[in-house]
Amino acid sequence: MPRLNLVVLGKQGAGKGTQCKRLAEAYAIPHVSTGDMLRAAVKADSPLGREVAAIMDAGALVSDDLVIRLVDQRFGEPDASRGALLDGFPRTILQAEALETLLGEDGIKLCINLDVPVSLVTERLSSRRVCQECGNIYKDTDIEAISGTCSNCGGDVIQRKDDQPEAIAKRLEAYERDTEPLLAFYQERGLLVVVDGAQSPDEVTAALVAVISERGLA
Ligand code: AMP
């Protein structure tokens, strides 16, 4: 079976994390989120974490070199031998080119753009709360957010600093400037599929599974 490497694009709050977790389970491939990897480094207070914490809190992008190195290392781990769901990477044309070099030209099988209007992602991001331990995502009205305790693992449920209004605006700006050009990059390669991310999470998952199966990828 060829390696199932999928890139999932979409504005912050489009539902990439939720959908990647589901697809990772369905296809038994790892969910590789550079944002999660960087947040884990910040939490562990490692040298890498100390280098990137302020940049991330402000909603800016960390350097291409740094994330390319992280992803390169991640692909070296045994569980990535069947493929990976890439969430939050690539984020710039330079990263997309580096990924092609890393995996070979036919390394990426599909790029899914979870399309959601700015007004909806802004609303989703401001009400989003996350478990610091397992990464489960809640809404500010969920009991886990109100009590501050994750029902999955007992970890602390918090609001990410970059989900506060100023950082949200900055992240959406960076997405438009740096990441939207990737849509044309993958379109030119015949790899781009657009899925309506404003549907319910279950409807989005069903649409994604249908696309993957139509393309004969799994
Ligand atoms: P995310 O959870 O994907 O929104 O990522 C959170 C933050 O991590 C971003 O706002 C960036 O500061 C940083 N980050 C994650 N992935 C990348 C990437 N591929 N390139 C540059 N910065 C990234």
Side-chain angles (χ1 to χ4, degrees), residues 1-6 29 74-84 99 102-104 106-110 217:
M1 164 86 82
R3 284 159 53 117
L4 182 59
N5 290 311
L6 304 180
I29 50 177
R74 186 65 186 84
F75 270 108
E77 289 173 29
D79 64 341
S81 63
R82 289 195 57 233
L99 183 63
L102 205 77
L103 297 176
D106 62 348
I108 294 295
K109 297 295 186 304
L110 197 63
L217 296 174

Side-chain angles (χ1 to χ4, degrees), residues 34-35 38-39 56 60-62 67 88-89 91 95 160 171:
T34 42
L38 292 167
R39 275 185 291 279
M56 292 177 70
L61 291 184
V62 310
V67 279
F89 181 92
R91 211 63 158 233
Q95 292 177 20
R160 280 168 47 175
R171 290 162 72 203

Side-chain angles (χ1 to χ4, degrees), residues 87-172:
D87 164 8
F89 181 92
R91 211 63 158 233
T92 62
I93 294 282
L94 209 142
Q95 292 177 20
E97 287 168 350
L99 183 63
E100 267 187 1
T101 309
L102 205 77
L103 297 176
E105 271 198 14
D106 62 348
I108 294 295
K109 297 295 186 304
L110 197 63
C111 171
I112 295 158
N113 179 31
L114 283 182
D115 193 30
V116 180
V118 170
S119 55
L120 182 57
V121 291
T122 306
E123 185 197 311
R124 281 186 185 171
L125 290 174
S126 4
S127 62
R128 174 162 80 174
R129 300 294 180 271
V130 293
C131 171
Q132 270 190 308
E133 297 302 325
C134 71
N136 258 18
I137 294 167
Y138 298 103
K139 276 198 204 148
D140 55 354
T141 48
D142 289 338
I143 181 71
E144 290 86 351
I146 295 165
S147 67
T149 308
C150 177
S151 55
N152 180 46
C153 74
D156 288 341
V157 175
I158 55 137
Q159 180 176 40
R160 280 168 47 175
K161 285 201 184 119
D162 60 357
D163 279 345
Q164 289 167 12
E166 239 177 73
I168 292 176
K170 198 150 184 205
R171 290 162 72 203
L172 290 173

Side-chain angles (χ1 to χ4, degrees), residues 47-89:
L48 168 68
R50 285 194 290 273
E51 188 181 333
V52 299
I55 303 173
M56 292 177 70
D57 284 351
L61 291 184
V62 310
S63 83
D64 285 327
D65 277 358
L66 193 153
V67 279
I68 290 166
R69 258 198 332 266
L70 269 186
V71 170
D72 189 8
Q73 278 167 14
R74 186 65 186 84
F75 270 108
E77 289 173 29
D79 64 341
S81 63
R82 289 195 57 233
L85 275 151
L86 288 166
D87 164 8
F89 181 92

